Amino acid sequence: MATIVQRPQLSLLERSYFPAILGGLWITIKHFIKTLFGQTKVTMQYPEQKWDSALPEWYRGAPTLVKDEHDRERCVACQLCEFICPPRAITIKPAEFPSNGPWAKVEKYPEKFDIDMIRCIYCGLCEEVCPEQAIFLRKDYSITGLTRAEMVHDKEKLYELGGVRHGLVNKWNEKK
Amino acid sequence: MSLMPSLDLFLQPEIFLVWTSALKTFVILGVVLTMVAYSVWAERKVSAFIQDRIGPNRVGWAGLIQPVADGVKLLLKENFVPGGVNKFFFSIAPSLAMIPSILVLAVLPFGSSLFGVPMVIANLDIGVLWVFAVSSLGVYGIVLAGWASNSKYPFLGGIRSSSQMISYELSLGLSVVPVFMITGTLNLGEIVQYQVDNGWMVFPAWFQTGAGLRDMTTESGSMFGLDLGKTLLWIPMMISFVVFIIAMFAETNRIPFDLPEAEQELVGGYHTEYSSMRFALFFLGEYAAMIAGSGVIVTLFLGGWSLPFVPDGSQGWFWGLVNIGTFFAKIAAIIFFFLWVRWTLPRFRFDQLMKLGWYVFFEVALINIFLTAGILAYLQS
Ligand code: SF4
Ligand code: SF4
């Protein structure tokens, strides 16, 4: 069934556009004056002001490596994160502990651990898969660089960003 | 002693005229180009404030060096010429769009006088005709750009522009006829002088000398007085003013009449295919046209360089400078109005635009002439 939409009947004054134009001008000048005298503030000055304090606990920022409370690395170079990473952002080169040394039981440590931040999609799968709770997504989101090489976070950088995380880790425990 | 002969040479009438005119030209060009740059800045700032944003604030304090950054950016861009364009017209079109608006400035009296030199570059007796003749040439730049680009959107923009100019040029011209009928001159300097003596066209209650209407009323009014003649003439003046300012919006392609460029429909209209400095010329030409147009509005209706109770340049160089400042301050106020309207109104539809031009403003301007004539005849009888 056809619906007939009734066009509003405009008076002569309304059809002259003037009331609507003046009304519009009044609205915009109010906004102009309010912003001019700083009564409206909606834009955040990004690099100086950030939303960081408002980021939730579970925010998925840059993936980083963490150390335990004794400043020892947690990663055992199992390479699970390397395998699961969807865009293949992680490159690990494992190395062996000497078999006659005190930490022979730990077996492996990452000699090289690179995350290419141009590739990373911040999915958080590496954090989820890590058996040693060694890799965590932190709140850093503004990862910038001038070259591609600069955008690859190496082990040092990853530890620097990650810091220390307390909690149960078994690998350095001689009894386990 | 050796200085004297050379000074004498500079003071000979012909040579004096040449170097003062050259000086005035350079100063005005400098001032206006700076104003162009800063009206772009103002455009961005005003739009930001109206939309509750902050606007440019990185380059310099409050973004005041932003125009320089914009200019450098445009200069450094690749000047790309698409294949299939008509090279000759494609390259001259931007200049054709820019030059007319600058030429208009030549006849605008931007101040009273400074050290006895009248503050107008060319004191033409046909000043207003010059303004209309030259400013309507600006459409050539746009039409040629649209046609030479050999692409459909610029072409549509060019066509729209020409039809829009034709429809609004008429009401623009007709709406100022009452001003000449009242002042009896086409010389812009004399029109301003008339407003100094008799109050601004749109605020006739303010006048300084109280001389009354020239040749028309015998008794002289008081400082704030409004005699019968002025009150009656105020009506057609206000109509003229409104029609003129609306037609000016259409002439300078500003919203609500920016159909030639209509970003959303025409991808930028006539300058779609342009880049780098050629694009910048269109851009600057548009703002220069806006400044020139505001200058014409100020000169014809808002008393030019005059302010109530402020003497002119014959009272000393200080007042001469004040007059010049007043003129540019008034232009700035009109430009603010242009910006304010731009960020308030939506664009008219093309048929609405044509209807408005031909059915409403043309008639109103025409009737206004007869109205003025009637009032003048009544006052003289
Ligand atoms: S967050 Fe996702 S994409 Fe980034 S490194 Fe971890 S697994 Fe790879
Ligand atoms: S970070 Fe975790 S998952 Fe990745 S190699 Fe090290 S221990 Fe294995």
Side-chain angles (χ1 to χ4, degrees):
Chain A
M1 202 189 84
T3 336
I4 294 169
V5 180
Q6 284 296 323
R7 290 256 171 158
Q9 288 292 316
L10 299 181
S11 67
L12 194 66
L13 188 65
E14 281 169 325
R15 265 185 290 154
S16 77
Y17 301 111
F18 278 113
I21 287 176
L22 293 180
L25 287 174
W26 173 238
I27 289 177
T28 44
I29 200 73
K30 267 194 305 193
H31 279 267
F32 179 83
I33 289 170
K34 272 192 186 161
T35 320
L36 190 65
F37 292 107
Q39 286 164 357
T40 328
K41 264 266 151 61
V42 285
T43 312
M44 184 171 256
Q45 294 292 295
Y46 167 65
E48 290 93 31
Q49 296 174 318
K50 287 184 175 174
W51 265 105
D52 287 7
S53 56
L55 291 181
E57 238 350 273
W58 55 86
Y59 186 82
R60 296 205 312 256
T64 61
L65 291 174
V66 296
K67 292 191 170 172
D68 69 2
E69 57 269 44
H70 304 296
D71 201 33
R72 296 175 299 206
E73 61 182 355
R74 292 185 175 200
C75 175
V76 293
C78 71
Q79 292 178 287
L80 281 177
C81 53
E82 184 174 359
F83 286 122
I84 201 161
C85 177
R88 302 210 180 286
I90 305 179
T91 319
I92 300 168
K93 188 174 166 208
E96 229 178 318
F97 280 104
S99 49
N100 50 1
W103 298 113
K105 114 182 203 327
V106 181
E107 290 182 5
K108 282 162 85 186
Y109 69 95
E111 188 190 316
K112 257 184 69 185
F113 199 117
D114 291 339
I115 303 185
D116 188 348
M117 292 313 295
I118 296 177
R119 290 192 154 211
C120 175
I121 56 173
Y122 303 88
C123 64
L125 286 180
C126 47
E127 174 179 333
E128 229 170 282
V129 81
C130 180
E132 297 291 335
Q133 304 183 350
I135 188 163
F136 280 93
L137 268 62
R138 283 294 171 97
K139 289 186 183 173
D140 316 71
Y141 49 84
S142 128
I143 311 290
T144 52
L146 294 174
T147 57
R148 279 167 188 273
E150 226 175 293
M151 293 298 284
V152 178
H153 288 176
D154 58 6
K155 206 168 119 178
E156 212 174 306
K157 174 92 180 169
L158 290 170
Y159 277 124
E160 182 195 317
L161 288 174
V164 176
R165 222 167 188 179
H166 298 262
L168 185 72
V169 181
N170 294 334
K171 90 172 185 182
W172 302 107
N173 190 330
E174 282 171 77
K175 311 257 165 50
K176 294 201 176 150
Chain B
M1 275 282 90
S2 61
L3 205 68
M4 287 316 285
S6 58
L7 256 180
D8 276 346
L9 184 70
F10 273 113
L11 290 177
Q12 270 169 21
E14 292 86 12
I15 295 172
F16 184 73
L17 185 72
V18 168
W19 71 260
T20 47
S21 299
L23 197 65
K24 281 186 281 191
T25 311
F26 282 118
V27 169
I28 280 303
L29 213 55
V31 169
V32 167
L33 288 182
T34 319
M35 269 184 107
V36 166
Y38 277 94
S39 50
V40 178
W41 172 84
E43 172 102 63
R44 297 170 69 170
K45 245 355 198 192
V46 169
S47 72
F49 282 2
I50 282 177
Q51 298 168 348
D52 293 347
R53 293 183 287 112
I54 291 176
N57 66 346
R58 293 281 149 175
V59 202
W61 183 79
L64 275 174
I65 312 180
Q66 187 70 40
V68 181
D70 288 348
V72 169
K73 183 200 111 179
L74 282 167
L75 269 175
L76 293 181
K77 281 208 163 178
E78 184 191 354
N79 193 357
F80 183 74
V81 181
V85 301
N86 184 325
K87 290 252 170 45
F88 178 66
F89 291 120
F90 188 81
S91 7
I92 62 165
S95 336
L96 281 183
M98 173 94 182
I99 291 169
S101 29
I102 303 251
L103 283 183
V104 167
L105 299 168
V107 293
L108 293 183
F110 54 88
S112 48
S113 59
L114 205 56
F115 305 115
V117 182
M119 283 294 113
V120 53
I121 294 170
N123 194 8
L124 294 187
D125 278 339
I126 50 152
V128 183
L129 291 183
W130 164 268
V131 168
F132 290 138
V134 168
S135 68
S136 56
L137 287 180
V139 73
Y140 280 106
I142 294 175
V143 170
L144 280 181
W147 176 71
S149 288
N150 196 14
S151 148
K152 61 190 165 194
Y153 292 125
F155 186 61
L156 283 173
I159 290 184
R160 282 182 176 191
S161 175
S162 45
S163 55
Q164 178 177 322
M165 289 264 184
I166 291 169
S167 8
Y168 279 86
E169 201 97 296
L170 269 177
S171 20
L172 193 74
L174 288 178
S175 66
V176 287
V177 172
V179 176
F180 313 139
M181 294 168 78
I182 293 173
T183 57
T185 173
L186 284 176
N187 184 315
L188 287 169
E190 285 172 25
I191 291 175
V192 173
Q193 195 53 48
Y194 176 87
Q195 298 183 69
V196 173
D197 297 337
N198 297 289
W200 303 357
M201 286 299 176
V202 292
F203 304 112
W206 297 353
F207 56 92
Q208 295 173 332
T209 55
L213 279 168
R214 185 188 295 173
D215 307 330
M216 282 161 204
T217 48
T218 43
E219 40 89 33
S220 59
S222 57
M223 276 309 238
F224 270 115
L226 242 190
D227 53 24
L228 175 72
K230 286 190 184 192
T231 327
L232 279 181
L233 284 174
W234 197 357
I235 303 166
M237 275 304 105
M238 281 316 279
I239 298 176
S240 277
F241 181 60
V242 170
V243 172
F244 188 80
I245 216 164
I246 292 174
M248 212 37 145
F249 272 98
E251 274 289 296
T252 51
N253 296 330
R254 294 289 297 181
I255 273 183
F257 305 118
D258 69 333
L259 286 127
E261 34 195 313
E263 291 91 349
Q264 297 86 346
E265 304 157 32
L266 297 184
V267 211
Y270 57 88
H271 56 55
T272 304
E273 306 290 349
Y274 282 87
S275 55
S276 181
M277 221 37 219
R278 291 202 179 123
F279 169 75
L281 271 181
F282 276 122
F283 201 65
L284 297 182
E286 203 172 295
Y287 282 88
M290 201 164 91
I291 289 172
S294 311
V296 177
I297 293 173
V298 167
T299 311
L300 288 179
F301 293 101
L302 297 176
W305 42 261
S306 69
L307 264 191
F309 311 115
V310 171
D312 61 17
S314 55
Q315 310 296 318
W317 59 269
F318 174 74
W319 296 114
L321 288 180
V322 167
N323 289 153
I324 295 174
T326 311
F327 181 71
F328 284 108
K330 282 181 186 173
I331 288 190
I334 297 280
I335 287 176
F336 176 77
F337 179 70
F338 271 75
L339 302 182
W340 179 19
V341 167
R342 165 156 188 198
W343 296 100
T344 302
L345 298 184
R347 181 179 308 128
F348 273 79
R349 236 174 30 226
F350 199 64
D351 59 320
Q352 289 173 325
L353 174 96
M354 294 312 255
K355 232 187 201 159
L356 214 58
W358 288 108
Y359 289 177
V360 182
F361 290 132
F362 179 49
E363 275 80 354
V364 167
L366 208 56
I367 291 169
N368 198 24
I369 293 177
F370 288 107
L371 183 67
T372 318
I375 293 174
L376 287 178
Y378 168 76
L379 287 178
Q380 259 166 341
S381 67

